[in-house]
Amino acid sequence: MSDTAVADGTPSGPGPGEDAAGRPPRTADTRTTAGSVAALFRLTEGHRRGIAAATGLTLAASAVGLAQPLVAKHVVDAGSRGQVLWPFLLLLSGLFVAEAAAGATGRFLLDRMGEGVVRTVRHGLVTRLLRLEMRELDRRRRGDLVSRVTADTTLLRDVMSQALVDLLTGCLVSAGALVLMLWLDPLLLLLVVLTVALAAAVVTTLLKGMRTASEQTQSSVGAIAAELERALAALPVVRVYRAEEREARRIGRRVDSAHGAGVRAARLAAVMSSAVELAVQGSFLLVLVVGGVRAGSGGADSLGDLVAFLLYASYLVMPLSSVFRAIGLIQRGTGAYLRIDEVLALPEEPARPPARAMPRPDPPGTPPALELTDVRFSYVPGRPVLRGAALTVPRHGLVALVGRSGAGKSTLFSLITRLYDPDSGTIRYDGRPAAALSRRESRAGIALVDQNTHVLEGTLRENLTYAAPDATEDDIVRVVRLARLGHVVRRLPGGLDGRLGDHGGSLSAGERQRVALARALLARPRLLLLDEHTSHLDAVNETALTRTLGAVTRDCAVLVITHRLATVRHADRIIVLQDGRTVASGRHDELLATSPAYRELAATHALHPEGRGS
């Protein structure tokens, strides 16, 4: 087995507590309401004391509420007999105040708990997304992933702060009301139960459709975010090619899909709400008519009994309506939960090398900063990009990597930075095999300036110190001078603390390249990787930065991908990559004499003073 065959630390089979796909097991089937409740309840770990307190307060408020009809019964009976009412009225007022206070406190605790759960979930999602395996990230759309952190968790918060406790307290309060109604009048209770059962049957038949519509809505919202992110990221291209209407229609189709799913969910929710309202109104009407007739004919114990029963009917039907609404919200939230759970189950980069990857002793003498031997790699199985690449970068000096577009140069950089691991072959850092190092250890001492010259939203200082947060002011001034950024500092309002805009929008392409280079130099790396670092620079800046690199190579190793002839001529060694293989290495004049592949690059202008090329 190669040194890097186990570098990602992925076991060959499922680990303890994982399924065949390496995902955490689900302890409940989310296709049922009970399974959905169990799945959502798992997210409340760490917040269950708050849930218990809130539930206790809610139940206390409900218990106080259940006592009120009995007091009201005594008020009515005492009034009909001409007795003193103020003690009962005072007690009833106290019960109202106690119920309101306990209910408000419980509701606050629930909302706080919901926010806490969402914060925990969002932290987990952000951490997982920032550590995803690159192969997994390549398969997914960034905007949709962002939607899962924002829109899906917002829906989940509503479920956590309302539905779960409403389901529990609603069932308990309804049970208490049933017992008291049974004690007051079994016949009237039977009428209420029949009405509520009819509504429950309607709600049950609609739950599956509600969940499906909710999942489609959340997926469509994620697709809107993904499509919009795609268009905004390429907005100059969109406008130059007059594609605004096409992109608007493309995104509009996603908007229409979300609208259609939302309308279906609204239709089902309307039917559910109507069924619940009919149950409430129908049960009240039946109790009022039948109970009133019986009270008028002397069939009931008293008018107070009827009043108490009507109040208890409200304490039965209203909590049950909350239960029905909670079940509908849980079905909607389950769709969001599944999308979140899918992300949390995605594989991330391992934090440590596998235990079975034993370090090998360093070779005698001073090992090179980087060594690749017979490295092979493919993004898609059966379509190799690298077919046996090899190179050595000494601890000091400049090594240039050249080749046609598609030869595998940038892919090599992705392997060197451990964004991916090779299918076979050996990568060594300072003589240590990649398989013996975690990815963080492999990246320690590496700085990268890639073709995209990533500039983050924030200040110039924040961008420069991104890889070296503790850099001193003198260090910052040094790299500003080396990267020739002085005029940028003078131009920006606020100087080093001036904001650069999203993706460095206030800078030119060449200025973004110099910011990226300064950031890399400030990290004082042992190995500096440069991918077309001068492609947007004019001749004056290119010459100055070439001199800067000459000074940098005295302190570290530099590996550069370039089409610039000036850079190639100054390289201590040139590696020629062709169709994923290393076909030649040497200095410029030597390769012109000995390497047909290198001569072809020069003859076909793949190497040229102006740097044209991919």
Side-chain angles (χ1 to χ4, degrees):
M1 181 177 292
S2 71
D3 290 334
T4 54
V6 293
D8 62 356
T10 304
S12 57
E18 295 182 343
D19 61 16
R23 297 185 176 186
R26 293 201 177 122
T27 57
D29 184 358
T30 55
R31 290 173 297 181
T32 65
T33 299
S36 297
V37 171
L40 293 170
F41 186 71
R42 292 204 304 272
L43 297 177
T44 64
E45 186 175 358
H47 303 274
R48 289 173 186 168
R49 287 187 178 181
I51 292 177
T55 303
L57 285 169
T58 305
L59 289 175
S62 300
V64 172
L66 287 174
Q68 292 171 16
L70 294 178
V71 177
K73 172 181 179 301
H74 286 294
V75 170
V76 173
D77 290 341
S80 65
R81 291 192 293 266
Q83 298 176 349
V84 178
L85 298 180
W86 69 263
F88 296 107
L89 293 176
L90 185 62
L91 176 59
L92 192 59
S93 299
L95 292 176
F96 277 127
V97 172
E99 180 184 15
T105 305
R107 177 55 58 191
F108 166 73
L109 292 177
L110 287 176
D111 288 339
R112 187 177 69 175
M113 179 274 298
E115 293 291 347
V117 169
V118 168
R119 180 183 66 176
T120 301
V121 171
R122 283 175 174 167
H123 276 307
L125 283 171
V126 169
T127 300
R128 177 68 61 154
L129 289 176
L130 291 177
R131 295 178 178 174
L132 278 186
E133 282 279 6
M134 289 301 297
R135 288 182 188 271
E136 193 64 47
L137 191 60
D138 291 341
R139 289 196 287 266
R140 299 183 179 272
R141 305 193 68 180
R142 278 35 169 199
D144 181 59
L145 294 177
V146 171
S147 174
R148 301 186 193 216
V149 181
T150 54
D152 290 344
T153 54
T154 299
L155 178 56
L156 193 63
R157 178 193 60 200
D158 296 337
V159 177
M160 305 306 296
S161 63
Q162 298 178 29
L164 293 181
V165 175
D166 281 355
L167 191 63
L168 175 62
T169 57
C171 291
L172 293 178
V173 172
S174 298
L178 282 171
V179 172
L180 292 171
M181 291 168 71
L182 180 63
W183 171 60
L184 286 172
D185 196 319
L187 177 59
L188 291 181
L189 173 62
L190 178 62
L191 295 177
V192 172
V193 169
L194 289 175
T195 306
V196 171
L198 181 61
V202 174
V203 169
T204 302
T205 59
L206 299 177
L207 287 179
K208 183 177 179 180
M210 173 71 76
R211 173 176 167 175
T212 300
S214 176
E215 289 180 357
Q216 292 173 348
T217 300
Q218 295 302 114
S219 296
S220 297
V221 169
I224 292 171
E227 295 288 358
L228 187 57
E229 188 270 341
R230 167 186 174 273
L232 292 178
L235 193 56
V237 175
V238 171
R239 290 183 174 175
V240 167
Y241 293 111
R242 307 171 304 283
E244 295 94 336
E245 292 299 324
R246 277 181 285 154
E247 290 296 334
R249 287 194 299 270
R250 182 188 181 99
I251 300 171
R253 286 193 291 270
R254 302 294 190 178
V255 172
D256 292 341
S257 177
H259 170 265
V263 168
R264 288 193 295 275
R267 185 185 304 118
L268 295 172
V271 175
M272 289 176 60
S273 178
S274 297
V276 172
E277 288 180 7
L278 286 174
V280 172
Q281 296 173 0
S283 61
F284 264 82
L285 183 61
L286 283 173
V287 169
L288 188 60
V289 172
V290 176
V293 170
R294 294 176 68 215
S297 63
D301 292 338
S302 68
L303 182 60
D305 290 337
L306 177 59
V307 171
F309 192 94
L310 282 171
L311 291 174
Y312 279 126
S314 69
Y315 273 85
L316 170 66
V317 177
M318 295 308 294
L320 280 181
S321 66
S322 297
V323 169
F324 292 150
R325 283 193 294 268
I327 292 174
L329 187 56
I330 286 171
Q331 291 300 318
R332 291 172 55 203
T334 300
Y337 164 79
L338 291 176
R339 282 169 50 82
I340 291 169
D341 189 53
E342 181 184 4
V343 173
L344 292 175
L346 294 177
E348 63 178 19
E349 286 189 347
R352 297 179 180 84
R356 61 180 179 273
M358 300 300 295
R360 298 181 182 178
D362 288 347
T366 301
L370 177 70
E371 184 180 8
L372 279 68
T373 305
D374 195 26
V375 169
R376 300 172 185 272
F377 175 78
S378 58
Y379 293 101
V380 179
R383 298 181 181 179
V385 178
L386 297 176
R387 299 174 172 85
L391 61 86
T392 299
V393 181
R395 287 181 177 271
H396 303 284
L398 174 65
V399 176
L401 186 62
V402 300
R404 292 190 175 280
S405 297
K409 303 184 298 297
S410 295
T411 297
L412 265 181
F413 271 27
S414 295
L415 298 181
I416 293 169
T417 54
R418 298 291 300 276
L419 299 180
Y420 303 89
D421 278 325
D423 300 330
S424 64
T426 304
I427 299 179
R428 289 178 178 270
Y429 305 90
D430 296 323
R432 303 177 64 190
L437 303 171
S438 69
R439 298 195 186 191
R440 290 181 65 87
E441 291 172 326
S442 301
R443 292 165 185 156
I446 294 179
L448 171 68
V449 179
D450 65 9
Q451 295 182 70
N452 298 319
T453 57
H454 298 287
V455 175
L456 308 174
E457 198 287 325
T459 67
L460 177 58
R461 184 188 303 275
E462 289 169 343
N463 272 274
L464 295 179
T465 61
Y466 193 76
D470 300 326
T472 66
E473 195 70 18
D474 289 342
D475 290 333
I476 296 174
V477 172
R478 177 182 66 88
V479 298
V480 166
R481 176 177 51 80
L482 290 174
R484 299 174 65 84
L485 286 170
H487 74 286
V488 175
V489 175
R490 291 189 294 272
R491 188 189 76 217
L492 283 175
L496 282 170
D497 296 309
R499 304 196 73 82
L500 302 183
D502 197 25
H503 301 294
S506 62
L507 304 178
S508 69
E511 289 169 344
R512 287 196 294 271
Q513 280 192 321
R514 278 176 277 158
V515 168
L517 180 60
R519 178 171 58 209
L521 294 176
L522 189 59
R524 295 185 181 274
R526 295 193 304 273
L527 174 62
L528 177 59
L529 305 176
L530 305 174
D531 189 352
E532 297 290 0
H533 64 292
T534 61
S535 58
H536 296 290
L537 300 184
D538 55 39
V540 173
N541 280 305
E542 179 187 3
T543 301
L545 288 180
T546 299
R547 288 197 298 266
T548 297
L549 285 182
V552 169
T553 57
R554 292 195 292 267
D555 299 319
C556 72
V558 178
L559 177 61
V560 55
I561 294 173
T562 184
H563 291 91
R564 298 274 191 171
L565 188 58
T567 303
V568 171
R569 282 176 169 167
H570 286 90
D572 299 299
R573 178 163 290 274
I574 303 166
I575 308 295
V576 182
L577 201 63
Q578 186 177 64
D579 296 329
R581 298 181 179 87
T582 301
V583 296
S585 67
R587 295 184 65 87
H588 174 67
D589 294 336
E590 175 188 351
L591 290 175
L592 282 177
T594 61
S595 173
Y598 188 77
R599 285 198 302 271
E600 183 182 359
L601 289 175
T604 57
H605 304 289
L607 298 173
H608 44 80
E610 294 78 12
R612 292 185 301 271
S614 59

